[in-house]
Amino acid sequence: MFARDHKTSSQQSIVKGDMLHPFSSVDQMSAQGSRIMKRAEGVRLWDGLGNEYIDSAASLWCVNVGYGRTEIIDAMARQGYDLPFYHSFNGMGNEPALALTDKILSLAPGNMRKVFFGSSGSDANDTTAKIVWYYNNLRGKPDKKKLISRWRSYHGVAGAAGSLTGLSVVHKLFDLPGERFFHVSAPDLYREPERDAQSYADELDALIRREGPETVAAFWAEPVMGTGGVLTPPDGYFEAIKSVLDEHDILLVFDEVITGYGRLGEWFGAQHFNVAPDLIVTAKGLTSLYAPLSAVLVGDKVWNIIDEQRQEVGVFGHGFTSTAHPISAAAGLANLRIIEEEGLVEQAGAAGRRFFTMLKSAVGDHPLVGDVRAGGFMAGVELVAERSSATPFPVDLGVSGRVREAAMKQGLLVRALTNDVIAFSPPFNTDETDMKLITDRFAATLDVMYDHLKSEGHLKGW
Ligand code: PLP
């Protein structure tokens, strides 16, 4: 629809300013400016100086259809010309949001009934927590409000979402987690190979019994944990967890902000693991983040209670001005159409298996690599100071952050996570040549890092 002009306004890669940067060092940012990305196409980005990078992370696990998809941009522009915005309060609606609701429900597990739109994974997790509390108030169980999630999980940064998150960086100095929030261990097949599914279910059961089952409302989990280190559960994990939850009348919430809409080779992680959560939280991949949009999927167990008591409920007193934003909804429809028409869900599954093999063969034997793991088209490489003892690097060394910086010098964008895990989640349509480029550049990055760490005396046993 529109000609694309790649001329950029300035030739800068670093620009000083007063933007308060998310998840960036306050200290470092006081001295340095923002690093500017100017342009993107397919799986590549170019910075302000014209340097090219391959994006092995789909930005933050989200640009799943790749950059430069004119179908999405045109759909947004068309919607903007017709109706850029009108609110959805007081029963108002818009066509793309209603069409997207139908589309989401047609792809989701069969027990999903309703969709609530917001604009980020964080607000969607907060909405979900509030719906869980609402449900138990309506059921006459006002004391059943505690929420259990897992250490290392990431559910975002808003009040409830930040409390559910199990990472100290999100809690520190923000007075989180709040009183109703509890955490159990995340499965880690590399560091705790002896633990099986039942041991995690037993840990959860013990916490529920300690707190009193009549006070516990829901358990939250990412099907494959992303930011916590690309952690996949052991066989039978969700079945074992679900049977504990069912015994105590506790809801299961899947946070599918990363896994929703294809990342695991199925439309939802719930289908991949063959479990039926009561609520599903989604965002990122819904629009491939061409526009901000989140969607909470409400299952029949919860919806039926709200529906049965509609007289008493009156107004559902929750919603954002931007809820069901028509331009974001148009982006979501166009994005899901691309995923469906190009068979990208199946492609993500196949590409994930291929990428894991390539990554293992490129770096699996590298002296810095303790573990290479994957779930669908998400992969993680855990870096260690000594392979045989799986000794981690001291946290202050910031090894994964240094690897991220070194990778940029090789023309590669990766995600650096806590516990020195480097994560990969390329766009679903990344081809084999580009996958090879990613693994080659990553191997070259690790070689450079190895030399640095060795000369600094940080490698045990070398
Ligand atoms: N939940 C999960 C599983 C996520 O990975 C993220 C972001 O990475 C969020 C929630 C928060 O999403 P947002 O950053 O859009 O608030």
Side-chain angles (χ1 to χ4, degrees), residues 60-61 119-123 125 154-157 222 224 226-227 255-259 281 283-284 289 415:
L60 294 176
W61 334 79
S119 49
S120 71
S122 296
D123 71 45
N125 275 294
Y154 189 72
H155 301 291
V157 295
E222 298 157 78
V224 170
T227 307
D255 180 344
E256 299 227 29
V257 167
I258 293 176
T259 55
V281 183
K284 298 184 191 272
L289 245 305
R415 279 282 283 149

